[in-house]
Every structure is written in C-alpha cells, then in structure tokens.
Amino acid sequence: MNAFASPFSTEPTEAPRPSRGRGSSMREWRLLDRAIYLAAWAAGLGLCLVTGAIVVYMGVRGIQYLRPELLVTRPRIAEDGAVSGGFLDPLIGTAVLTAIGVAIALPVGVCSAVWIVEYGRPSWLARMVESSIEIVAGTPDIVIAIFGLAIFELSFMGPLSSTSETGVVLGRSFIAAGTMMSMIALPPLYAATRDGLQAVPAHMREAAFALGKTRIATIRRVLLPSVRTNIATGTTLGISRIIGDTAIVLILLAASLRNEPAGSIPILSFLRGTGSTLTTYVYDNSPAGEGKSPNNAYAAAFVLLLFILLLNWVVGRISSAHARNSGFDAGRGL
Amino acid sequence: MDLPQVGNPPTSNRPIRLLVRLRQPWSDHRAELTLGAVSLLAGLAIAGMVVFVAVHAWPTFQHNGLSWLGSGGNLDSQLQRMTETSVHPPASAYHVRAWPVIYGTVLTTTFALVIALPLALLSSIFIVEFAPVWLRGAMIPVVRLLASVPSVIYGLIGILVLVPFVGNHLITIPEKTSVQNTVELTGGSLLVVSVILAVMITPIMVALISAALAGVPASWREGAMALGVHRLRATLAVSLKAIRPAIVAATALACARALGEVIVVSMVAGDVSFAPSFAHGPLIFLFEPLRTLGSAIVDNREAFFGGAPALSATLYAFALLLLLSAIALSLGAYLIKLPLRKYQLR
C-alpha cells in the first residue's frame, strides 16, 4: 500500500489512545457487550493455548522418541514388516524438493510482482495475472498434484521421470514434484514482493528517473535492493509451505521408502527417481499409512515442526529488523 | 554503476556471448515483455490445470451423466469394482454415484467455517483492539505459527490423540450399538475433522481480518466514540462494517482451504465413504465417519500407479469439482476485495 496515496496514513497502533472518559468504564457497558469483550479475550487466549498445546505436545513426544541416529540412518523394513531405521532419505528429499521449488518459484514470483507493480499494462492483463495468482493460492494441493501427474505422464516428458519396463512414462520424480511445489510457493513470494514494492515511496523511483535511469535499471538498482527483505520473507514463507506439503509428495514422488534413483547419470538419475519427504514419512508411519510405527512418526513430525519454528523465527527476525532499519514500513498487519 | 561494457566480449564462444549480451542494460521494452511473459505463467498453469483435469475426468461424466452427482449404492464398493477392470474398461465399469463424498465435503467445510468464523472475528478484534501491547506482540507470531503448522502434524495429533479420545470417552456403548448395522463408530468422525479444520483455517482468517481491521483509519472509530459509544461498540458498528468485504473474502479463502485439505481428512475421518445421517440423532451424526472429495483421491491414489483407468477418471472428476469450487471461491474473494483498495483497506 502506497502510504502517499492516502490521507489516512496514520498507523493505528501509533494513534493516541482515547482518554478515559464517560463510557470507557466497563461497568457501564451493556451485558451483551461485556460478554463479547470476554469472548474476544477468550478467543485470543484460546488461540495461544492451542498453539502452545501443539508445540508442547509435539516437543514432549519428540524428545521422548527422537534419537540422534534417526537423523543419519536410512529407513528400512524390519522383519515384522514395520518401518525401522531413521529418516535420512526423507530429510534429503525435503531438502531437494525445497531447492527445486524455490529455484522455480523465486524468479517467477519476483518477476510477476515487478511486472504488476511497475508496468501492469494493459490493465485487464494485469488483473488477469493478479487474479490467477490468487487462484493458484486457493487451489488445493491435491489438485495441483494430479495436474502435475497428468503433465509429467505425457510421453515427451519421459526424460524428466522414470519409465516402467513396458515403456510407460510414470510421471513421478523429484523434478515433477519440485516443479509442482513451485506453484504452492509462488503466491506467498509474489504477495511479499508486491507489498514491498508498493511500499517503496514514489520519490525513490522519481529520483532514479530524474537521473536518466530507465525503468528496468531503476528496478534492478533501486527497487529490488530495497525490497530484498520482503523477498527473503516471501521465500521463507514459500519454503515453509513446501516442506509442510504432503499431497504433492504422495502423488508425484510416490512416497517410496527410500530415494530410488532412475538411470545411471549421477545427479540426474536422483532427480528423475522417486523418494519421500518428512511429511510423507510421518503420514506413512502414522496409523493412517502402512508403516505402523507411530514413534518414528512422532520423531519425524518433531523435526518437521522444528524446521517450521525455525522458519517462523527467521520471518519474525527479518520483518522486525526491517522495520527498525528502514524508513518505510513494507506491509502492515500480520 | 550501470555503464554498458566497453570492448569486445571476452571470448567468441556463443553461449558466453549471449550471457554478456544479457548482462548489458536491457531496453525497457524488452524488459516489459519478458517480465509480462513470466507473469503469464500462473494464468497458463490455471488454464492448463482446468483443461487437463477436465479432459481426464470426461469419461466418467460421459458414462454417468448428471446422475454422477446423485446418491445410490455404496461408493466404496463402486470404487473397488473399478480397480478390478482391465486397462480398457467397459462403459459399465464407470458406474459411480459421488453424492457421499460431495456431501462429506460440504458438511466438513460448513462445520469448520461455523466454528472458525466467530472465533476468527473475536480474536481479530482482540488482537487489534483489546490485547495489551505485550500480548499483541506475542499473538502475531502465534497466529503465523498456527497457520504454518503442516497439515500432517495436525493429522498425526488427530489420529493418535483426538480420535482415540473421542472413540473411547465421548462415544458411549449404546450409541455404538444403535448404529452398528450401518456403520462402525471408531472415533474418526465429522466432529474431529471439523474441529481440526477449524483450527487450521482460523489463523488464515485472523491474519486477513486483523490486517483489514488494523487498516481502518483511527479517525473513523474516533468519530463514533466522539458521539458517545464505547470502544467495543465503535469497533463493531464502524470497523467491522467497513471491512465487511474483507470478512467475506477471508471466509471464502478459508472455505477454499478447508475444501482442499486432504491429508487431515484422510487421516482422521475414519476410512469409510459414509454419508452421516441426521436421522440417527444429532450426537451420533457428529460421531459418524465420512470421506471428502479430496480424501477420496488420496485414499485411492494407487489408481494413478497404473491399471485402473476408470477409477483414475473418477478421481480426476473429484479433483475437477474441487478445482472449480476453489476457483469460484478465490475469484469471488478477489472481486469482493477490489472496492476496498479505494480506501486502502486491503
């Protein structure tokens, strides 16, 4: 939101609190109003309690079941059919998928945001792009997953995934899953970059234009550097969306027990092969899957939650440091 | 800073020369076209998604007609029969009546929204208006964390804690025996699904609503207070009214999220495509298992691994339904929010 376009640019948090006059004492409120006030407190504290309960519960279970060797051993099937061993392969799978997803979503998201804010002509096209990113944000991940399957199953996509003995393209690989992951990381990246660009004061652009810079040079040398923190925030949000996603991995990565390369070329064979991530490891080892070893599921879920907590902390740090260091506040609210 | 490079490119190598050319300052025109082309990718993806999913789903609509949406027969056994057909299934193999999962999706989404909307409104008001500064500082990361907890963790807690609790303590033996001929009550139920979905969508709504609430100019509320109402009344009468479009939009987005949430539902809803019946009594209705469009896709995902074209067409049809409703909801939310920009309220 460009603060200069509106006469109402006062941040509400900075607005002076009204003085305690008549009617500000709760005792004079109507009963219904008092009930609503209490309910608002209860709802706010309830949210905190639920979050706290989830974190504490997962923490207790995690400390109970997480052993360091779980992180460095590969999963295997024990004699009784249950999954044992650790979750090294899912950890690697999560990392690889995140890398592919961000590598695609970052340029697309930033370019879209720059185009919308800085060019955005013709306006009907800009509206279309904007609304289509909103639609991508609202699309269920399971639909994205099977759309990816429909694409990567096409025979000319064969080199990007593995092929069965009968020559049918399976359409399931790290490349396929990572590409579709970029679709769920795109909306937060786009939104963060767009909000940042919109918060850059107009005089920064005008100063650059006055020096004879072209639009694109202004974008590269002035605007993008000043929204770096927003891009970082968006990327972090995108990463936490990717590592938390299950449906795409279940369908497009086959959620195999171990990462299974396809082919013989060192890195490409890994990317063409199937594998699993922490989320599918949890899913498969919970009573909902076949693994039936909930202890390992708890341990992996704890690690997953630690990642999410870390990413949230990073987002908090970035935005608070940004608010301190820069004159303009990029985006407000949550 | 931005001077064009002087002199010859370092080598005559073709790709390197191209790189050097790309490093030169771009003309505005070229930059605009390139960036615009990249921006179109999202739109292309959506269009491609609708086309691909619709094409894959077509056979099942072709063979069932509109009665595809109707009820009749046991959905689980219909889907099971599809896995037994050959690679070229006869028309009869496509027989399916999808009502139980459509009904299940509508039920879970509605219940989750009914729980989440008042909760989200109240906590947004709390965060913006009443929370002490220290608590407000704590609430923002809390809401952000709650929104980013992966669904599989909610599912894990649901299936290992809530489902056994409901199954062992909330459902009484007489309740179990009263419906034992139609369905088994294990604890995986409409109730658990709705509660977990509500917890998952509340933070999304809180984020959107409280951002809009914080954007309401303080002077509007102060005007109301100058006329003699207290803070809560001013918030309810002025701020909430001003951000009504944002509330509707937040609800629509949360609804899209609840529709599309598959992992939690697949884990905690009980493993039956049952349509909960209110005739069994309101409490038992809440305790009955169900399946949604999305969780039916996840639970039958083996169909995509080859050999059951009829089943995979049916699952694509489920996905098409999900996709179209999600598109309608997102577009609706986008259009509703447009007038708010005029007032800088998001």
Side-chain angles (χ1 to χ4, degrees):
Chain A
M1 299 289 123
N2 188 341
F4 287 76
S6 154
F8 310 118
S9 61
T10 331
E11 279 289 329
T13 49
E14 292 159 11
R17 291 269 169 201
S19 62
R20 293 195 158 269
R22 207 143 52 96
S24 66
S25 161
M26 286 243 333
R27 249 164 293 160
E28 295 168 27
W29 289 21
R30 265 183 283 172
L31 198 61
L32 176 67
D33 291 351
R34 271 191 263 181
I36 294 177
Y37 180 78
L38 285 182
W41 266 90
L45 294 182
L47 272 190
C48 294
L49 273 183
V50 168
T51 315
I54 291 173
V55 172
V56 168
Y57 181 77
M58 291 310 300
V60 168
R61 293 292 177 185
I63 293 165
Q64 196 175 349
Y65 297 121
L66 182 64
R67 299 181 309 279
E69 68 263 25
L70 283 182
L71 296 173
V72 291
T73 46
R74 304 188 66 184
R76 61 172 187 278
I77 302 281
E79 278 126 26
D80 57 345
V83 171
S84 68
F87 36 86
L88 176 66
D89 286 30
L91 273 175
I92 297 173
T94 299
V96 171
L97 274 193
T98 309
I100 301 177
V102 170
I104 299 174
L106 185 64
V108 176
V110 172
C111 286
S112 308
V114 167
W115 185 76
I116 288 282
V117 178
E118 301 301 321
Y119 296 94
R121 289 172 308 187
S123 58
W124 60 268
L125 195 63
R127 284 220 170 155
M128 211 199 77
V129 169
E130 257 184 328
S131 53
S132 61
I133 293 180
E134 300 255 336
I135 293 174
V136 170
T139 306
D141 47 1
I142 184 75
V143 179
I144 294 179
I146 70 172
F147 165 59
L149 196 63
I151 289 182
F152 285 93
E153 262 179 352
L154 299 174
S155 48
F156 69 90
M157 290 290 196
L160 298 180
S161 69
S162 47
T163 312
S164 72
E165 298 91 31
T166 51
V168 180
V169 177
L170 293 178
R172 291 186 289 275
S173 69
F174 273 102
I175 299 176
T179 311
M180 289 300 131
M181 283 292 189
S182 71
M183 282 183 73
I184 63 168
L186 176 67
L189 244 163
Y190 160 81
T193 315
R194 180 202 56 196
D195 289 353
L197 284 173
Q198 283 173 340
V200 174
H203 61 74
M204 284 177 68
R205 293 183 186 86
E206 285 154 11
F209 296 154
L211 292 173
K213 292 278 180 198
T214 56
R215 236 170 214 287
I216 185 67
T218 312
I219 290 166
R220 268 180 58 187
R221 306 288 176 195
V222 179
L223 298 180
L224 284 187
S226 66
V227 296
R228 246 187 333 224
T229 48
N230 296 79
I231 298 178
T233 309
T235 311
T236 322
L237 291 176
I239 291 175
S240 73
R241 295 271 304 264
I242 291 181
I243 70 174
D245 194 273
T246 318
I248 293 179
V249 189
L250 276 182
I251 304 277
L252 275 178
L253 203 54
S256 53
L257 188 64
R258 292 184 166 197
N259 297 334
E260 280 156 13
S264 52
I265 313 158
I267 293 171
L268 189 67
S269 69
F270 181 82
L271 294 179
R272 286 180 63 198
T274 57
S276 59
T277 61
L278 281 176
T279 49
T280 53
Y281 184 84
V282 173
Y283 182 82
D284 281 337
N285 284 300
S286 77
E290 288 93 34
K292 312 268 187 238
S293 61
N295 296 357
N296 278 13
Y298 271 128
F302 176 62
V303 174
L304 188 62
L305 191 61
L306 281 186
F307 281 140
I308 296 291
L309 282 171
L310 179 75
L311 289 169
N312 269 284
W313 179 78
V314 169
V315 170
R317 275 300 294 272
I318 292 174
S319 48
S320 66
H322 185 53
R324 267 202 311 277
N325 294 339
S326 68
F328 55 92
D329 180 24
R332 60 184 165 211
L334 291 171
Chain B
M1 291 200 303
D2 213 358
L3 294 173
Q5 289 193 355
V6 188
N8 287 327
T11 60
S12 59
N13 237 344
R14 226 197 164 139
I16 293 186
R17 210 159 46 184
L18 185 74
L19 264 181
V20 170
R21 246 190 68 206
L22 282 178
R23 280 198 58 80
Q24 308 263 322
W26 284 27
S27 77
D28 250 0
H29 187 63
R30 185 158 63 137
E32 179 171 1
L33 289 183
T34 315
L35 292 175
V38 174
S39 315
L40 288 182
L41 280 178
L44 279 182
I46 291 296
M49 206 180 309
V50 175
V51 170
F52 267 93
V53 174
V55 165
H56 279 265
W58 176 243
T60 179
F61 291 120
Q62 192 184 13
H63 293 298
N64 286 294
L66 271 184
S67 54
W68 186 87
L69 297 164
S71 62
N74 183 336
L75 180 63
D76 278 336
S77 56
Q78 286 164 3
L79 296 182
Q80 182 57 39
R81 216 167 33 244
M82 290 180 186
T83 60
E84 291 150 9
T85 59
S86 64
V87 184
H88 298 288
S92 63
Y94 284 97
H95 174 82
V96 69
R97 296 289 178 264
W99 175 248
V101 282
I102 299 173
Y103 177 61
T105 312
V106 173
L107 270 186
T108 49
T109 310
T110 316
F111 276 53
L113 281 178
V114 165
I115 304 174
L117 182 60
L119 206 61
L121 279 178
L122 286 170
S123 28
S124 309
I125 294 176
F126 175 71
I127 292 176
V128 176
E129 294 292 328
F130 299 121
V133 176
W134 62 270
L135 192 53
R136 183 182 321 170
M139 289 288 295
I140 290 171
V142 159
V143 171
R144 202 185 276 148
L145 176 64
L146 205 54
S148 59
V149 171
S151 50
V152 74
I153 291 185
Y154 284 115
L156 189 69
I157 294 178
I159 198 169
L160 290 175
V161 181
L162 293 181
V163 168
F165 174 76
V166 171
N168 298 333
H169 296 99
L170 291 190
I171 308 178
T172 57
I173 309 266
E175 281 169 355
K176 281 184 188 172
T177 49
S178 74
V179 287
Q180 64 185 358
N181 295 326
T182 40
V183 66
E184 190 192 356
L185 302 182
T186 54
S189 58
L190 173 61
L191 178 72
V192 179
V193 177
S194 314
V195 168
I196 298 185
L197 282 184
V199 172
M200 294 179 70
I201 61 178
T202 301
I204 302 173
M205 295 170 81
V206 171
L208 294 168
I209 295 176
S210 65
L213 211 51
V216 174
S219 55
W220 294 11
R221 234 169 27 254
E222 281 159 10
M225 289 169 72
L227 294 177
V229 295
H230 54 72
R231 263 167 71 200
L232 179 66
R233 275 284 141 203
T235 307
L236 295 180
V238 177
S239 306
L240 276 195
K241 211 164 261 180
I243 61 158
R244 260 181 317 192
I247 297 175
V248 177
T251 313
L253 291 179
C255 183
R257 177 82 200 272
L259 274 181
E261 182 46 59
V262 292
I263 297 302
V264 164
V265 183
S266 145
M267 285 170 96
V268 303
D271 226 2
V272 199
S273 302
F274 184 75
S277 161
F278 208 71
H280 296 157
L283 255 183
I284 296 177
F285 170 72
L286 284 179
F287 292 143
E288 281 174 340
L290 48 82
R291 200 168 256 165
T292 62
L293 287 166
S295 74
I297 301 177
V298 169
D299 292 341
N300 293 296
R301 64 183 179 280
E302 298 295 326
F304 299 117
F305 297 10
L311 182 51
S312 86
T314 310
L315 299 184
Y316 270 105
F318 291 173
L320 183 66
L321 225 55
L322 275 182
L323 178 60
L324 293 182
S325 15
I327 289 179
L329 286 167
S330 315
L331 263 188
Y334 175 75
L335 293 177
I336 288 169
K337 271 192 301 184
L338 274 183
L340 276 180
R341 292 189 178 179
K342 214 165 45 184
Y343 304 106
Q344 302 281 312
L345 290 182
R346 281 199 196 207

